[in-house]
Amino acid sequence: MNKPFYESCEENKQVILQQLQSLFKPVRQVLEIGSGSGQHAVFFSQQMAHLQWQPSDLQENLAGIELWRQQAGLSNIKAPIELDVMNLQAADLAAVDAVFTANTLHIMSIVHVEALFQAMGRWLQPGGLFCCYGPFNHNGQFSSDSNARFDQWLKQRDAVSGIRDLSELSKFAEQAGIGLKEDIEMPVNNRILIWSKH
Ligand SMILES: C[S@@+](CC[C@H](N)C(=O)[O-])C[C@H]1O[C@@H](n2cnc3c(N)ncnc32)[C@H](O)[C@@H]1O
C-alpha cells in the first residue's frame, strides 16, 4: 500500500499551523476527527512537539494514517483509532484538551454534524476547544463562487453533504453548551472556527 496523499493538506498545513501554534500553546492532548490521509496529524505533531496527537477516522482510512505515522517515527503521535462521530463516547474525550477536525463538516450529513456538536458539549471539559477548519457560509451566503460550485459538486456526489452555515452550527453549539470563541478567515475562502465548552 502506498501512503495516501492529499494535495490540499500540503497546501493548507502551514497556514493552519500558524493558527494552531498559538491556540494550542496551553493544550497537551489533541483528538483529531476525520484525519483522512494522516498528513495533518504527522505534520502538526512534528511541528508542535509539546502535544500528544490522537488521529482517528472511519476504519477504511486507518491503514493509510498508520503508514504516515510509522514512517514519521515521532513519539507524540498515537496509533490511529476508529472513530465515527455518531458513536463518540465519553472515553474518547476524557483526556483531551482540544479536538481538531479539517474539511469534515461538509462531508458528513447534518445529522452527523449535530451529533458531533452534542458530543463536544457532553464530554469536553470546561474550557476544552473544538477547532474546525474548512469552508463555511455566513448568513446563507457562499464566501466565493468557487465555494458555491464546490457545494454543488458535493451535493451531486452525495446529497446529504454540503457546506455548512455558521448560524446552523451556532444553533447546535448553543444547544450543546459550547460557544464560538473565534472565527478566523483563512486563505482560499476557508475559515477556522474555534468553539469552547462553557
Ligand atoms: C475530505 S476528508 C478530510 C480529511 C482530512 N481531515 C483533510 O483535511 O484532508 C473527510 C474525512 O471525514 C471522514 N468522515 C466522514 N464521515 C465521518 C464520520 N461519520 N465520522 C468520522 N469521520 C468521518 C472521512 O473518512 C474523511 O477522512
Side-chain angles (χ1 to χ4, degrees), residues 6 8-9 12 16 32-40 56-61 65 83-87 100-109 112 133 150 157:
Y6 299 170
S8 58
C9 287
N12 61 30
I16 299 176
E32 182 184 10
I33 293 180
S35 299
S37 62
Q39 283 160 272
H40 277 158
S56 76
D57 209 312
L58 306 179
Q59 181 62 37
E60 67 233 36
N61 288 327
I65 301 168
L83 194 153
D84 184 322
V85 297
M86 287 308 276
N87 300 317
F100 173 78
T101 193
N103 288 321
T104 52
L105 302 193
H106 58 270
I107 299 293
M108 296 168 190
S109 73
H112 286 79
Y133 169 86
F150 181 50
R157 193 177 137 268

